[in-house]
């Protein structure tokens, strides 16, 4: 045993003579490794998700390529358009309206005591709420691909992938490779969201990136804060370790 | 193999060292800065629960279309303070027309000040609105003209209102300004602070993933080395 200690002391003395800072190097390595055990897997997930989110264009993730560009046809002022006073008379409690184009014709989106709905801008006849057939046609008119519609469902509860959108909504799924799903407002026919596999992967990876496994949106959660603080220690200890990693070991 | 991994881990680490620290530091900052406050929600007035009924005797949308200087994509009702107006939109431009007189409504300094004051809650006093000719970094993504209204509260709140249609465009404050710097460093877009698909960050992220993968390798290898090394130490 004493011999071993002597060897160790001698080795240390030799290293000290070579001005190789053994102890700090050891501590740097130890710290870096220790933190690695704590957040190594998360750091791997950060890098993996970060690469995915940066490498794929956000426009692609948003699914802009899945639908036609917005209809730019201007409104026409035919003399038969209902006036504001007509709308006020027809819709008790009218607070707002909007003249726009919908499926090749002009409609008013009116907001009255009963909520929001679409009416034909000339006849005043109700256009919505959308039934399954119309929802399918509307979705088809947005969709750029050639794949057939697979399912058309009316939803009164928002699935997680469109949790912030207003209800009720139609979910129209297409039978294409990226499992495209278009969500439409059942009252106004508005395109609420475009979802496809690249978006769904993005969402899962974003969840992993911000470590909010429930709402997938809270960047201020405690778990992330602790992990990020450890991550900062991780990177700083890595930098520290770099100072010792490029010295040539003098062997005696 | 492990030696190679160590060398690569070291060298890629050397190149990316500063960015690693910045990623972690900015990520930590983003997680610590309360997002509600970053968005300026704590100085935002609650939206009126009851929208007033649309008044009788306004001009018709058809008249709006007939008088419009160019093609219009939508006509909608809106309120500019107590004034019933139509908002006409075409592409990226929008403008307001008085719903009773049909006059074009310009968002002047007094209107901008009133809009900002109505949107704000807090101890701050609004300064004089300033008209911005081109979108600044704080009001990026919006079209000029833009009104800027500074408040003298602790957070140095600044509201941006559209000079076209009077909408509040952005609610900025010091917390947001810190957040924006952190975000810039995190996504490595130092000019527009917007584009997280820029080649620099993609390259750095690929390098980062490499570091992480070799790091996991080295960590597992260190386990194996220790296990095989232990008997040697004992004897």
């Amino acid at each position: 045993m004493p011999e071993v200690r002597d060897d160790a002391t001698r080795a240390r003395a030799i290293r000290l003579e070579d001005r190789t800072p053994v102890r700090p190097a050891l501590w740097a390595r130890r710290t870096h490794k220790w933190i690695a055990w704590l957040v190594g897997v998360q750091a791997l997930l950060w890098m993996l998700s970060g690469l995915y989110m940066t490498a794929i264009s956000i426009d692609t993730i948003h699914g802009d390529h899945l639908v036609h560009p917005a209809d730019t046809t201007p409104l026409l002022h035919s003399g038969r358009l209902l006036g504001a006073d007509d709308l006020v008379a027809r819709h008790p409690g009218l607070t707002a309206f909007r003249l726009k184009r919908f499926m090749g014709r002009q409609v008013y989106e009116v907001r009255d005591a009963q909520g929001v709905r679409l009416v034909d801008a000339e006849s005043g006849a109700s256009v919505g709420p959308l039934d399954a057939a119309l929802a399918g046609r509307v979705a088809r008119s947005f969709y750029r691909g050639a794949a057939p519609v697979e399912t058309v469902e009316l939803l009164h509860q928002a699935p997680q992938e469109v949790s912030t959108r207003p209800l009720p909504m139609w979910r129209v799924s297409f039978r294409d490779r990226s499992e495209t799903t278009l969500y439409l407002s059942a009252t106004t026919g508005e395109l609420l969201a475009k979802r496809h596999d690249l978006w769904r992967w993005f969402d899962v990876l974003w969840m992993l990136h911000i470590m909010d496994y429930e709402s997938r949106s809270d960047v201020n959660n405690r778990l992330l804060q602790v992990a990020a603080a450890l991550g900062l220690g991780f990177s700083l200890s890595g930098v520290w370790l770099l100072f010792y990693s490029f010295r040539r070991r003098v062997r005696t | 193999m492990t030696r190679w991994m160590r060398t690569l881990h070291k060298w890629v680490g050397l190149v990316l060292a500063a960015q690693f620290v910045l990623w972690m530091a900015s990520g930590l900052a983003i997680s610590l800065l309360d997002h509600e406050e970053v968005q300026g929600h704590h100085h935002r007035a609650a939206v009126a629960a009851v929208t007033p009924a649309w008044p009788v005797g306004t001009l018709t949308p058809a008249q709006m279309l007939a008088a419009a200087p160019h093609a219009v994509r939508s006509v909608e009702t809106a309120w500019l303070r107590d004034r019933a107006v139509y908002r006409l939109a075409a592409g990226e431009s929008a403008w307001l027309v008085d719903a009773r007189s049909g006059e074009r409504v310009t968002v002047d300094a007094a209107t901008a000040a009133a809009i900002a004051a109505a949107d704000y809650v807090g101890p701050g006093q609004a300064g004089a609105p300033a008209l911005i000719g081109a979108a600044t970094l704080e009001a990026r993504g919006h079209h000029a003209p833009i009104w800027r209204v500074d408040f003298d509260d602790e957070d140095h709140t600044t509201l941006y209102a559209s000079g076209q249609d009077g909408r509040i465009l952005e609610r900025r404050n010091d917390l947001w300004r810190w957040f924006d710097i952190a975000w810039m460093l995190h996504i490595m877009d130092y000019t527009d602070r917007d584009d997280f698909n820029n080649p620099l960050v993609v390259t750095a992220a690929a390098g980062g993933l490499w570091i992480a993968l070799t790091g996991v390798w080295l960590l597992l290898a260190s386990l194996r080395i220790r296990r095989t090394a232990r008997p040697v130490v004992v004897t």
Side-chain angles (χ1 to χ4, degrees):
Chain A
M1 277 305 273
E3 276 177 14
V4 172
R5 196 180 291 162
D6 279 356
D7 278 351
T9 342
R10 203 180 306 146
R12 197 176 301 150
I14 290 164
R15 285 199 199 120
L16 277 172
E17 265 175 14
D18 294 341
R19 292 184 180 172
T20 314
V22 176
R23 294 194 70 83
L26 192 71
W27 276 108
R29 193 175 304 277
R30 208 173 263 175
T31 313
H32 196 59
K33 250 171 81 173
W34 258 74
I35 304 179
W37 284 115
L38 291 171
V39 289
V41 172
Q42 183 55 40
L44 176 63
L45 290 174
W46 275 329
M47 294 304 143
L48 192 70
S49 52
L51 179 59
Y52 181 93
M53 294 189 289
T54 55
I56 300 178
S57 157
I58 190 64
D59 297 331
T60 304
I61 297 297
H62 284 156
D64 294 351
H65 60 293
L66 298 170
V67 297
H68 293 293
D71 180 9
T72 54
T73 316
L75 293 171
L76 299 171
H77 64 284
S78 82
R80 296 193 299 273
L81 281 181
L82 290 174
D85 287 351
D86 300 327
L87 293 174
V88 172
R90 282 161 183 263
H91 298 278
L94 179 81
T95 55
F97 60 86
R98 173 188 168 91
L99 177 63
K100 62 170 192 177
R101 287 178 58 80
F102 173 72
M103 295 296 282
R105 62 167 153 173
Q106 306 199 137
V107 297
Y108 279 116
E109 184 181 307
V110 297
R111 181 179 290 274
D112 61 18
Q114 287 165 29
V116 181
R117 76 185 109 152
L118 289 187
V119 298
D120 186 281
E122 292 181 3
S123 70
S126 195
V127 178
L130 281 69
D131 59 16
L134 181 56
R137 282 212 308 283
V138 174
R140 197 65 276 158
S141 77
F142 283 119
Y143 184 63
R144 207 172 194 164
V149 170
E150 191 161 55
T151 55
V152 181
E153 297 156 89
L154 183 62
L155 306 177
H156 292 283
Q157 248 190 341
Q160 176 155 35
E161 64 179 21
V162 282
S163 59
T164 58
R165 302 297 198 276
L167 289 160
M169 57 171 87
W170 284 100
R171 173 165 63 193
V172 182
S173 306
F174 290 86
R175 197 182 303 150
D176 57 14
R177 260 186 302 171
S178 56
E179 299 192 38
T180 303
T181 307
L182 299 183
Y183 290 89
L184 305 170
S185 160
T187 46
T188 66
E190 189 193 343
L191 180 60
L192 298 174
K194 317 176 275 283
R195 298 292 180 248
H196 58 128
D197 283 348
L198 290 176
W199 186 94
R200 295 184 183 104
W201 273 108
F202 187 100
D203 194 45
V204 168
L205 291 168
W206 173 248
M207 171 190 83
L208 296 173
H209 202 81
I210 66 165
M211 304 177 81
D212 173 12
Y213 309 104
E214 278 164 36
S215 71
R216 302 186 180 183
S217 60
D218 176 18
V219 294
N220 298 128
N221 70 78
R222 192 49 51 86
L223 186 63
L224 178 63
Q225 290 166 346
V226 171
L230 284 168
L232 183 58
F234 197 14
S235 61
L236 287 172
S237 64
V239 170
W240 185 19
L241 189 52
L242 278 173
F243 286 103
Y244 309 111
S245 300
F246 292 91
R247 300 209 179 186
R248 172 157 281 169
R249 283 258 161 74
V250 182
R251 297 210 175 262
T252 46
Chain B
M1 188 73 169
T2 300
R3 247 187 72 204
W4 267 105
M5 290 291 181
R6 192 180 306 279
T7 309
L8 284 165
H9 189 79
K10 249 168 56 175
W11 280 97
V12 180
L14 182 68
V15 174
L16 286 179
Q19 186 53 39
F20 262 103
V21 175
L22 289 174
W23 268 333
M24 295 302 167
S26 57
L28 179 61
I30 288 167
S31 75
L32 291 174
L33 293 168
D34 186 297
H35 205 63
E36 286 290 303
E37 292 186 24
V38 166
Q39 303 267 313
H41 289 164
H42 59 309
H43 286 311
R44 184 181 177 178
V47 181
V50 186
T51 326
W54 188 251
V56 179
T58 55
L59 296 169
T60 68
Q63 286 170 302
M64 292 296 117
L65 292 176
H70 49 85
V72 174
R73 294 252 304 281
S74 76
V75 179
E76 63 187 315
T77 59
W79 291 91
L80 193 68
R81 301 156 73 191
D82 304 331
R83 196 170 175 186
V85 295
Y86 284 115
R87 179 182 184 274
L88 284 74
E92 276 160 354
S93 67
W95 63 99
L96 301 179
V97 176
D98 187 293
R100 290 179 199 276
S101 70
E103 277 170 44
R104 177 83 178 255
V105 178
T106 50
V107 180
D108 56 13
T111 312
I115 291 166
D119 189 78
Y120 178 83
V121 284
Q125 291 295 315
L131 193 63
I132 302 174
T136 55
L137 208 49
E138 282 196 18
R140 59 188 179 239
H142 299 291
H143 294 275
I146 298 168
W147 285 103
R148 173 187 171 131
V149 184
D150 291 321
F151 288 79
D152 61 356
D153 56 16
E154 272 186 354
D155 300 323
H156 296 109
T157 299
T158 301
L159 297 183
Y160 291 91
S162 164
Q164 291 189 340
D165 64 3
R167 286 187 186 191
I168 295 288
L169 301 173
E170 300 293 352
R171 299 173 180 86
R172 303 303 194 200
N173 57 50
D174 283 349
L175 232 54
W176 177 86
R177 293 179 185 107
W178 283 112
F179 172 92
D180 199 44
I181 292 170
W183 180 248
M184 171 190 79
L185 296 172
H186 208 72
I187 67 167
M188 303 175 82
D189 176 6
Y190 310 103
T191 45
D192 298 335
R193 304 185 180 181
D194 247 349
D195 176 18
F196 53 80
N197 296 127
N198 70 76
L200 185 64
V201 75
V202 177
T203 311
L209 180 59
W210 175 253
I211 288 281
L213 288 171
T214 49
V216 169
W217 176 287
L218 290 175
L219 202 58
L220 297 177
S222 79
L223 270 186
R224 225 174 36 211
I225 289 165
R226 198 188 290 168
R227 204 174 297 145
T228 47
R230 195 165 286 147
V232 180
V233 173
V234 169
T235 47

